[in-house]
């Protein structure tokens, strides 16, 4: 992914059920700051990990994993950067996963390029993340 003139909350990934948000949502701010939201009993809380930014002037390989037990992990360019565990998180089976926008397309879409998107039915291991990064890094000069 490569940003092109970010707004304050470009939404790169979003999960919904109808018009209700659910995990996972991931945004990148205009300063390259990553943040995500998790839901506990239907109430969302944004998390902005301290110091977790990307260089928005070039392509980045970004992996965001979320498990049913509430474990979030973020990898940037093959390197593990962040983890947290959130209790009572929800991601219902009938959720839709959207790339580059949110369910109502209210201006929080991506201003940039998402060249490759992969969705897995499990959280990738650090070894699998590194393998994916190595497979694509030369293609995007990372």
């Amino acid at each position: 992914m490569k940003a092109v003139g970010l707004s304050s909350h470009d939404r790169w990934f979003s999960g919904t059920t109808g018009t209700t948000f659910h995990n996972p949502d991931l945004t990148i701010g205009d300063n390259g700051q990553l943040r995500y939201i998790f839901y506990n009993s239907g109430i969302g809380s944004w998390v902005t990990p301290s110091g977790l930014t990307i260089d928005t002037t070039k392509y980045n390989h970004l992996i965001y994993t979320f498990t049913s037990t509430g474990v979030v992990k973020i990898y940037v360019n093959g390197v593990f950067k962040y983890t947290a565990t959130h209790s009572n998180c929800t991601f219902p089976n009938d959720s839709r996963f959207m790339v580059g926008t949110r369910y109502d397309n209210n201006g929080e879409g991506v201003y940039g390029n998402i060249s490759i998107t992969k969705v897995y039915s499990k959280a990738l291991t650090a070894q699998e993340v590194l393998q994916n990064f190595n497979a694509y890094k030369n293609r995007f000069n990372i």
Side-chain angles (χ1 to χ4, degrees):
M1 48 153 279
K2 180 180 179 182
V4 179
L6 291 168
S7 67
S8 60
H9 303 292
D10 282 6
R11 192 164 310 241
W12 292 82
F13 307 103
S14 182
T16 68
T17 301
T19 58
T20 303
F21 287 123
H22 290 285
N23 298 307
D25 279 17
L26 179 70
T27 68
I28 302 172
D30 53 4
N31 60 355
Q33 178 71 49
L34 297 175
R35 74 177 187 160
Y36 66 93
I37 194 167
F38 70 95
Y39 289 84
N40 182 339
S41 302
I43 299 171
S45 298
W46 282 103
V47 176
T48 305
S50 177
L52 186 55
T53 60
I54 61 168
D55 181 349
T56 60
T57 65
K58 64 180 187 176
Y59 275 100
N60 289 276
H61 184 264
L62 181 63
I63 303 284
Y64 172 58
T65 68
F66 176 84
T67 69
S68 61
T69 58
V71 178
V72 172
K73 292 185 181 179
I74 298 175
Y75 300 81
V76 179
N77 297 330
V79 178
F80 171 76
K81 294 288 188 177
Y82 176 81
T83 190
T85 301
H86 304 286
S87 62
N88 299 320
C89 291
T90 59
F91 193 67
N93 291 333
D94 61 344
S95 294
R96 292 176 287 177
F97 185 72
M98 303 170 129
V99 176
T101 189
R102 75 179 224 176
Y103 77 93
D104 59 1
N105 196 23
N106 75 341
E108 291 184 2
V110 169
Y111 294 99
N113 302 312
I114 300 175
S115 299
I116 297 170
T117 301
K118 293 183 176 185
V119 178
Y120 295 88
S121 61
K122 66 177 192 103
L124 297 181
T125 65
Q127 181 179 359
E128 292 167 326
V129 168
L130 185 58
Q131 179 181 358
N132 279 336
F133 172 70
N134 287 331
Y136 292 105
K137 68 181 180 181
N138 293 332
R139 181 175 176 184
F140 298 103
N141 296 318
I142 301 174

